[in-house]
């Protein structure tokens, strides 16, 4: 069977049965562009899981050799499209409803990252979204956040309030002692500056924690 035949067969399975009915190896074989299920299975085994395929290049090089770059780019593009489809945007000037809306907005962008990223949502006096600012992109275990970087964009935009958002690369959104201490520090700074901190939403794999909704103020 030629590569063209394998691609056609794999693509037909996706179209006829539906992508949801295909297993990971079948879907990856289509993304690879050659329809080779055995090669897709070898890649998944070498990476450990699909997240492993996106995180590093060692598995790609081990299985595909020098020809790894193009299929790796195809898969990463497909995964990013999936994340963007899974994201429910928070339109500017729309009221912020709850932490679930914050989770829906950020889950496709932040939850799977390997390092902590700290983002601030700017909110006006009617709880309408005015914008967002990435304050810090940190190490594997901690983002470096200073009140100056958090409140400077809020003061420039004349925001009335903020929502703090960051991810845990471990996948567990349980707030750490450092998260709680930072939240309290920023809340106190906000009281002095006249900018309320409405919530701090911590994102993990498949779930989130809202400090405000959990009454951790």
């Amino acid at each position: 069977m030629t590569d063209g035949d394998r691609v056609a067969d794999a693509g037909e399975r996706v179209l006829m049965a539906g992508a949801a009915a295909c297993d990971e190896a079948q879907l990856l074989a289509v993304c690879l562009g050659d329809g080779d299920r055995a090669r897709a299975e070898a890649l998944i085994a070498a990476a450990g899981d699909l997240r492993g395929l996106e995180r590093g290049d060692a598995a790609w090089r081990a299985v595909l050799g020098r020809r790894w770059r193009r299929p790796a780019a195809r898969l990463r593009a497909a995964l990013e499209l999936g994340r963007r489809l899974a994201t429910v945007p928070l339109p500017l000037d729309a009221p912020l409803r709850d932490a679930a809306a914050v989770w829906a907005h950020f889950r496709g962008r932040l939850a799977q990252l390997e390092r902590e990223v700290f983002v601030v949502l700017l909110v006006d006096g009617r709880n309408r979204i005015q914008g967002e600012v990435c304050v810090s992109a940190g190490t594997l275990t901690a983002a470096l956040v200073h009140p100056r970087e958090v409140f400077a964009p809020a003061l420039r935009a004349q925001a009335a309030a903020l929502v703090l958002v960051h991810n845990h690369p471990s996948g567990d959104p349980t707030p750490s002692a450092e998260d709680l201490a930072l939240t309290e520090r920023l809340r106190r700074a906000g009281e002095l500056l006249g900018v309320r901190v409405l919530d701090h939403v911590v994102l993990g794999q498949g779930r989130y924690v809202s400090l405000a909704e959990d009454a951790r103020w």
Side-chain angles (χ1 to χ4, degrees):
M1 180 181 289
T2 67
D3 284 352
D5 292 333
R6 282 197 296 262
V7 172
D9 288 348
E12 281 300 314
R13 283 195 295 272
V14 171
L15 291 176
M16 297 300 294
C22 297
D23 61 27
E24 292 178 353
Q26 289 171 324
L27 294 173
L28 179 56
V30 175
C31 291
L32 289 176
D34 60 11
D36 190 332
R37 180 188 177 90
R39 186 174 294 179
E41 290 175 339
L43 274 168
I44 294 172
D49 56 27
L50 290 181
R51 291 186 68 200
L53 283 175
E54 189 179 24
R55 283 194 301 263
D57 299 331
W60 291 96
R61 292 176 179 176
V63 176
L64 301 182
R66 290 181 295 177
R67 300 175 59 188
W68 68 274
R69 297 182 65 86
R70 185 171 295 178
R74 287 196 192 101
L75 178 64
R76 289 170 185 169
L79 291 173
E80 181 59 28
L81 283 173
R83 281 193 288 268
R84 294 188 187 190
L85 283 170
T87 296
V88 180
L90 288 169
L92 290 178
D93 293 324
L96 179 61
R97 301 185 302 276
D98 50 28
V102 175
W103 161 249
H105 179 70
F106 284 108
R107 66 186 176 193
R109 295 164 47 194
L110 300 185
Q112 81 291 342
L113 297 181
E114 294 181 35
R115 58 180 181 171
E116 285 194 9
V117 174
F118 197 98
V119 177
V120 174
L121 286 175
L122 309 178
V123 182
D124 70 9
R126 295 172 135 184
N127 270 22
R128 297 177 301 185
I129 302 296
Q130 299 299 293
E132 65 180 66
V133 179
C134 180
V135 172
S136 173
T139 64
L140 180 65
T141 58
L144 303 176
V145 179
H146 191 280
R148 178 177 59 251
E149 282 81 31
V150 172
F151 288 100
L155 294 174
R156 285 195 298 269
Q158 298 184 325
L162 302 176
V163 174
L164 313 174
V165 184
H166 88 280
N167 65 304
H168 277 181
S170 68
D172 181 359
T174 303
S176 65
E178 291 80 6
D179 292 338
L180 298 175
L182 174 63
T183 303
E184 182 59 25
R185 183 183 180 196
L186 294 176
R187 286 187 68 208
R188 290 180 179 178
E191 289 173 358
L192 292 174
L193 295 170
V195 180
R196 293 178 299 143
V197 175
L198 300 178
D199 199 353
H200 187 169
V201 182
V202 186
L203 312 178
Q205 284 295 321
R207 58 195 181 99
Y208 68 93
V209 171
S210 160
L211 271 65
E213 292 178 1
D214 283 7
R216 302 203 189 199
W217 291 136

